[in-house]
Amino acid sequence: MVMLKDYNSFPLASQANLFGGLEEGLLSARAEALAAVDMKQSQSGLSQFKHDMMYHHHHPSMTGHPPPNHRSHQMSHEMDGLQMLDPIGSSSMATLAPMSDAAAAAAAASVTSHSHPQFHSSMYSHQAMNSMMGTHPSLTHPHVAMGMHDSESDPRELEAFAERFKQRRIKLGVTQADVGRALANLKLPGVGALSQSTICRFESLTLSHNNMVALKPVLAAWLEAAEAEARRKDRDPDGNSVLPGGEKKRKRTSIAAPEKRSLEAYFAVQPRPSGEKIAAIAEKLDLKKNVVRVWFCNQRQKQKRMKFAAQH
DNA sequence: ATGCATGAGTG
DNA sequence: ACTCATGCATA
């Protein structure tokens, strides 16, 4: 009766040298961790399936953005080819590219299923959700009565789309960062800009299944608009790459290889260590507790990504 | 392309 | 204190 996630939950790949890389100080921890195996999921083993409906956070830019429901548009990306190729100006898309009906419809459909101005993942997914939600009419669910099952959520469909998307994006000479910014110009309800990271992850399928499904219609809409725009070959010399500057730089902490190995070893045996355990690990590895906690969180998220997920 | 981080929403 | 979507910073 344990209703776990759905598309994720695959046995983690235990490397051969899991414990091989452990340092002396970790030996006790190893035993400790092993012992903890049978009593795991002490407090979160099955509290997994919760719906989403996330938000879009903001970035403390100098301008006081009041609305809590809109994304940030950081314009300080200096990616690989951002500066060199940019045929379709970052902002030209907005003014000249009204999306096609098909694209708009697709996007709209995805949005309506959430009822929120911000699309984001939501409850459309799974069987578990279904039963506890008290039958939604049908529109909200992709896999209703007819044989028209979720083509949108079909991993292979997503994979195919991602590939197509990437190809055409490149053909258009647009960078991932460009796409992210252009998204805001499409002005789809609840859809703002996205980062280069997210576009990259979409293309490489390194997002959760839900996330992929939610983003697909939006990116499809952009592609439509972009190609329509390309057809009319309209040059819009709108160079607005002025960096706002004056933002506090975040420093990325880097966990050294040995420590990382240890963390992986711990994770293999107990992916969800308790707060105390995390503190202990942090002390042993001489890392901040928060760093260790976040590392575990991220590691767990990693497991849920599409690419190598079990049911692919 | 990916590691570490944030923050809303949830329990 | 966790999950999830997302992003800055960086390799």
Side-chain angles (χ1 to χ4, degrees), chain A residues 3 10 27 49 68 90 93 122 129-130 137 147 163 166 168 174 205 220 251 253 300 305:
Chain A
M3 10 206 268
F10 66 95
L27 296 177
F49 83 91
S90 347
M93 201 60 81
S122 10
M129 251 1 208
N130 245 348
E163 183 52 42
K166 181 174 187 174
R168 306 176 87 173
V174 180
L205 303 170
K251 209 50 183 178
T253 55
R300 276 177 236 128
R305 286 176 185 171

Side-chain angles (χ1 to χ4, degrees), chain A residues 25 44 71 73 93 141 154 156 186 209 224 274 282 295 297:
Chain A
S44 53
R71 241 194 238 84
H73 318 24
M93 201 60 81
H141 222 97
D154 173 23
R156 280 180 328 238
L186 276 179
H209 178 82
E224 281 289 315
S274 65
W295 186 87
C297 285

Side-chain angles (χ1 to χ4, degrees), chain A residues 201-268:
Chain A
R201 285 168 176 152
F202 180 86
E203 292 182 347
S204 59
L205 303 170
T206 46
L207 288 175
S208 68
H209 178 82
N210 273 3
N211 207 172
M212 288 294 292
V213 171
L215 257 31
K216 183 187 172 192
V218 175
L219 295 182
W222 172 81
L223 191 54
E224 281 289 315
E227 303 203 303
E229 171 66 26
R231 265 171 247 136
R232 78 174 71 275
K233 267 320 188 191
D234 200 321
R235 292 289 320 194
D236 190 332
D238 188 276
N240 67 326
S241 304
V242 242
L243 308 187
E247 293 269 335
K248 47 195 168 186
K249 293 284 186 177
R250 193 171 82 194
K251 209 50 183 178
R252 199 172 100 181
T253 55
S254 190
I255 301 173
E259 285 69 36
K260 207 168 289 187
R261 273 194 113 44
S262 296
L263 287 171
E264 282 162 3
Y266 284 119
F267 187 85

Side-chain angles (χ1 to χ4, degrees), chain A residues 28-243:
Chain A
S28 59
R30 183 214 312 197
E32 184 177 300
L34 287 168
V37 176
D38 34 282
M39 57 176 275
K40 60 182 158 193
Q41 15 182 234
S42 43
Q43 38 103 230
S44 53
L46 32 106
S47 62
Q48 297 204 148
F49 83 91
K50 31 171 105 182
H51 38 287
D52 336 314
M53 314 187 83
M54 299 289 136
Y55 68 114
H56 282 124
H57 63 259
H58 235 295
H59 189 64
S61 27
M62 56 277 187
T63 50
H65 293 101
N69 63 334
H70 213 62
R71 241 194 238 84
S72 65
H73 318 24
Q74 8 61 234
M75 30 188 75
S76 49
H77 282 121
E78 232 44 326
M79 296 316 304
D80 45 304
L82 208 182
Q83 52 272 135
M84 35 193 210
L85 31 88
D86 196 329
I88 307 180
S90 347
S91 54
S92 59
M93 201 60 81
T95 31
L96 320 166
M99 58 188 143
S100 71
D101 304 281
S110 88
V111 172
T112 43
S113 59
H114 313 83
S115 76
H116 247 4
Q118 6 209 231
F119 62 111
H120 276 148
S121 59
S122 10
M123 41 253 282
Y124 37 30
S125 38
H126 327 304
Q127 44 283 77
M129 251 1 208
N130 245 348
S131 45
M132 68 170 280
M133 289 185 66
T135 54
H136 265 199
S138 55
L139 294 172
T140 34
H141 222 97
H143 130 235
V144 212
M146 22 182 207
M148 202 62 214
H149 51 296
D150 4 25
S151 49
E152 307 300 282
S153 52
D154 173 23
R156 280 180 328 238
E157 171 59 30
L158 287 169
E159 186 170 358
F161 176 76
E163 183 52 42
R164 230 160 50 227
F165 178 85
K166 181 174 187 174
Q167 276 306 147
R168 306 176 87 173
R169 187 205 100 221
I170 291 173
K171 202 76 177 174
L172 289 166
V174 180
T175 66
Q176 296 170 330
D178 289 336
V179 174
R181 271 169 307 187
L183 250 31
N185 301 327
L186 276 179
K187 301 204 159 46
L188 294 180
V191 179
L194 285 178
S195 67
Q196 171 265 331
S197 300
T198 300
I199 303 303
C200 172
R201 285 168 176 152
F202 180 86
E203 292 182 347
S204 59
L205 303 170
T206 46
L207 288 175
S208 68
H209 178 82
N210 273 3
N211 207 172
M212 288 294 292
V213 171
L215 257 31
K216 183 187 172 192
V218 175
L219 295 182
W222 172 81
L223 191 54
E224 281 289 315
E227 303 203 303
E229 171 66 26
R231 265 171 247 136
R232 78 174 71 275
K233 267 320 188 191
D234 200 321
R235 292 289 320 194
D236 190 332
D238 188 276
N240 67 326
S241 304
V242 242
L243 308 187

